Amino acid sequence: MNKQALKEQVIAAIDAMAAELQAISLFLHSNPELGGQEIQAVRRLIQAAAGRGFSVRQNISGYETAFIAHKGMCGPKIAFLAEYDALPGLGHACGHNLIAAMSWGAAAAFSAVAGSRAVSYFIGCPAEETSGAKVAMAEAGVFDDLTAALIVHPADSNNIGGTSYATHPLKITFHGRPAHVASKTDKGINALDALVMFYQGIKPLRQTFTQETILAGIITQGGTAPNIVPEEAAAKFTIRALSADYLEETVLPAVRRLAEGVALATGTTVETVHYEPLFKELINDPQLMQLFQDNMSLLGETVTLLEPLDADGSTDVGNVSHRTPTIHPDLGIGCNLVAHTPAFAAATGSEYAQKRLLVGAKAMAMTAVDLLE
């Protein structure tokens, strides 16, 4: 098997699909949909997959907008992961329009070139920005039998390696007893006082951890009127660490103990609820990293290798990486860009980004070729 010849065929196949891939990306960019509501995006992607002979299953792991498309019967099973949800008020400020197009291009080109020697999977994963469909999909075993899972994320430079923070967001609610602030007989129990005490205790608590952590939150409820002692006060916290084990076994129990101690000291009661599921840390597979980096070099691209503990954000791709060998490299689409900003949203719809998505698709498909037996 001449893998170099197959890679040249992959490059040609993606170049031939350029108009289709760019049209998909721009359609998603012009029609942003929030997580779990990506009806138009899924319809467009499924039509593309079915049109090239992929078998498609929808409604995966409780998500109406999740799907699994595949083509082929034997050999290594390579999955290309698509994301397509947008951000409220910002549109595709994380570049999921580009991710969907890149992964579809890679899946289609790899299938065309590999033929009967492999199975190409194109897996639609909704709601990455919120509940993270990949969490439920991973728990359901969707990724267990794969040889590898590949996804490329837009950024301001080409990078590979590093990790992501494990995160398990927590809502803290203190319950007190209401009263009029001028009452001479009943002073009530101030739930907001308890929440403020808890909030002030978070910073010194963070200093006690031996691994890097992030504890950041906002007060979402602080009372109903200034002349009424708040009966209920609530906050939402994003709580992150470099590993899911440390997060679940050390950080979160400490946060709960702090909340319980504040409740005891103030005469309130407290409840803690995870309002989003656990995103595990990303494990980039070393072999896949090297293959991807080599293929980017073949495409004339330079890629920066990040340190293993270099974490930036959180993603449910981490949960996939705990099930099968995975990579989640970055592809540069412009300079000095920061995700989740209006400038990033504009960049993901630019003419330059539509050209760059072809590079990401090619590098993924070429890496899949390297995995052929």
Side-chain angles (χ1 to χ4, degrees), residues 253-267:
V255 171
R256 291 192 182 94
R257 285 195 298 270
L258 172 63
E260 291 162 0
V262 167
L264 183 63
T266 57

Side-chain angles (χ1 to χ4, degrees), residues 3-366:
K3 289 187 177 180
Q4 183 55 42
L6 294 180
K7 290 181 182 182
E8 291 173 1
Q9 293 175 34
V10 158
I11 292 171
I14 290 173
D15 283 336
M17 293 179 68
E20 174 189 348
L21 300 180
Q22 291 164 351
I24 288 173
S25 170
L26 291 173
F27 175 81
L28 268 60
H29 192 270
S30 299
N31 298 276
E33 298 167 296
L34 301 182
Q37 303 172 29
E38 313 98 321
I39 304 300
Q40 295 182 82
V42 168
R43 183 183 302 121
R44 186 71 178 256
L45 294 171
I46 285 177
Q47 286 175 347
R52 290 183 181 268
F54 279 67
S55 298
V56 180
R57 288 192 292 122
Q58 296 179 249
N59 301 323
I60 307 298
S61 302
Y63 284 86
E64 292 185 6
T65 53
F67 65 86
I68 300 174
H70 81 280
K71 189 175 181 180
M73 297 294 292
C74 303
K77 300 176 181 179
I78 314 300
F80 305 91
L81 309 182
E83 297 171 352
Y84 30 79
D85 59 317
L87 289 158
L90 288 172
H92 279 289
C94 208
H96 292 182
N97 59 309
L98 299 170
I99 291 176
M102 284 189 284
S103 288
W104 165 234
F110 176 63
S111 172
V113 169
S116 61
R117 288 170 289 194
V119 186
S120 180
Y121 280 88
F122 178 49
I123 302 181
C125 309
E128 191 273 340
E129 299 291 353
T130 52
S131 59
K134 298 184 201 70
V135 175
M137 295 168 79
E139 290 174 352
V142 168
F143 309 106
D144 285 1
D145 296 328
L146 298 176
T147 304
L150 312 177
I151 184 172
V152 171
H153 200 291
D156 62 353
S157 60
N158 296 337
N159 305 298
I160 195 165
T163 184
S164 65
Y165 290 103
T167 180
H168 207 171
L170 195 67
K171 181 179 180 181
I172 313 287
T173 305
F174 285 92
H175 300 278
R177 188 178 73 248
H180 195 284
V181 294
S183 173
K184 296 182 182 301
T185 58
D186 186 358
K187 298 302 182 183
I189 298 176
N190 195 315
L192 181 58
D193 283 350
L195 180 58
V196 170
M197 185 183 297
F198 171 80
Y199 190 93
Q200 292 173 329
I202 281 290
K203 186 174 182 178
L205 176 66
R206 187 167 55 239
Q207 308 308 314
T208 68
F209 298 126
T210 58
Q211 291 187 19
E212 183 181 353
T213 59
I214 296 174
L215 283 74
I218 58 170
I219 293 176
T220 57
Q221 181 181 354
T224 57
N227 62 343
I228 300 174
V229 174
E231 179 182 14
E232 186 172 290
K236 284 186 174 181
F237 279 81
T238 175
I239 301 178
R240 310 184 190 207
L242 285 175
S243 77
D245 287 346
Y246 191 74
L247 177 69
E248 298 292 291
E249 296 171 8
T250 301
V251 180
L252 284 166
V255 171
R256 291 192 182 94
R257 285 195 298 270
L258 172 63
E260 291 162 0
V262 167
L264 183 63
T266 57
T268 58
T269 59
V270 65
E271 60 178 326
T272 58
V273 177
H274 291 292
Y275 61 92
E276 288 179 2
L278 169 65
F279 283 21
K280 296 182 178 181
E281 75 277 10
L282 175 66
I283 303 171
N284 279 295
D285 181 80
Q287 179 190 12
L288 292 178
M289 285 170 52
Q290 187 62 60
L291 293 175
F292 184 87
Q293 195 167 15
D294 291 345
N295 286 310
M296 285 288 278
S297 295
L298 291 175
L299 293 169
E301 299 280 333
T302 300
V303 181
T304 299
L305 180 63
L306 302 177
E307 293 296 323
L309 295 182
D310 187 336
D312 182 13
S314 301
T315 174
D316 59 356
V317 178
N319 297 60
V320 179
S321 72
H322 284 251
R323 297 282 187 161
T324 192
T326 302
I327 51 170
H328 193 322
D330 294 328
L331 177 76
I333 63 166
C335 298
N336 301 317
L337 293 173
V338 178
H340 292 212
T341 63
F344 201 94
T348 63
S350 69
E351 182 179 351
Y352 180 66
Q354 309 320 306
K355 293 178 181 178
R356 295 294 293 163
L357 74 83
L358 303 179
V359 175
K362 290 172 184 177
M364 280 192 287
M366 293 164 71

